[in-house]
Amino acid sequence: MDSRLTEVLVCPVCKGPVTMNEEKTELRCPRCRLGFAIRGGIAVMLENEARELTEQQAEKARPTKIEE
C-alpha cells in the first residue's frame, strides 16, 4: 500500500488520522485504539474487522507534529 494514501484515509469511526505500522501491514488510529489490516494491498477499513491496539501501539501510532 502506498504510504501517501495514509494522508487521505481517515479512521471510519472517529474520522481522525491513521498511520501505517512499521511492517506496513496495518493502519492504526491512535484515538480509537484500532488497527485496520491491509490485505492484498487494500486497507480493510471496517470497524467490525478492526482489532484493538495496546496502549503502546496506540502511542506509537500518534502522528508527530511538524513545527514551522
Side-chain angles (χ1 to χ4, degrees), residues 17-32:
V18 294
T19 58
M20 195 174 306
N21 68 341
E22 299 84 17
E23 297 83 20
K24 298 189 179 195
T25 58
E26 182 175 68
L27 292 176
R28 295 178 173 176
C29 175
R31 187 181 301 164
C32 294

Side-chain angles (χ1 to χ4, degrees), residues 35-62:
F36 302 93
I38 298 173
R39 296 186 195 130
I42 298 170
V44 182
M45 303 295 284
L46 301 170
E47 182 178 6
N48 64 338
E49 295 267 339
R51 72 176 188 92
E52 195 169 323
L53 299 176
T54 65
E55 185 61 40
Q56 283 183 323
Q57 291 169 327
E59 188 60 38
K60 261 184 145 176
R62 294 196 193 292

